[in-house]
Amino acid sequence: MIALCGALTYAEIGSRYPVMGGYYKIFSYGFHPSIAFAVNCIILVSNAGSTAAVGVIGAEYIGRFFFTGPTPQVFLQMVTIVGVAFFTPSTCSVCG
């Protein structure tokens, strides 16, 4: 129910302000542009952090699938790097 309310809120904001710029434009209309810049930076960092966390956890699961004992650190690092590199372009809010 909460997710539905959030989705409807974003849909209403998007229909009222059909501009390019995402969070920055909407927050700069409602608040000061420096607040909008800070919010955009926070969103960028939180998206990068959550993508990295999902990459590390996914690498641990994949490592348990391929290795019966402890998973080598090099394998975990490589799987994490490939996962983050693969999923980052599709979730990047700055790139478009």
Side-chain angles (χ1 to χ4, degrees):
M1 211 52 183
I2 293 172
L4 178 64
C5 290
L8 291 175
T9 301
Y10 278 118
E12 184 66 27
I13 290 172
S15 67
R16 287 185 186 230
Y17 299 109
V19 294
M20 293 180 67
Y23 290 108
Y24 177 78
K25 284 291 190 180
I26 300 303
F27 278 101
S28 67
Y29 286 150
F31 304 105
H32 194 268
S34 63
I35 302 291
F37 180 75
V39 168
N40 207 20
C41 289
I42 290 169
I43 290 170
L44 178 69
V45 169
S46 69
N47 284 347
S50 63
T51 303
V54 168
V56 169
I57 293 169
E60 289 177 6
Y61 280 119
I62 291 172
R64 289 183 184 180
F65 181 73
F66 285 114
F67 298 100
T68 56
T71 307
Q73 284 289 26
V74 174
F75 179 81
L76 293 175
Q77 292 170 353
M78 288 298 133
V79 170
T80 302
I81 290 170
V82 168
V84 169
F86 181 75
F87 288 114
T88 298
S90 63
T91 60
C92 183
S93 63
V94 175
C95 302

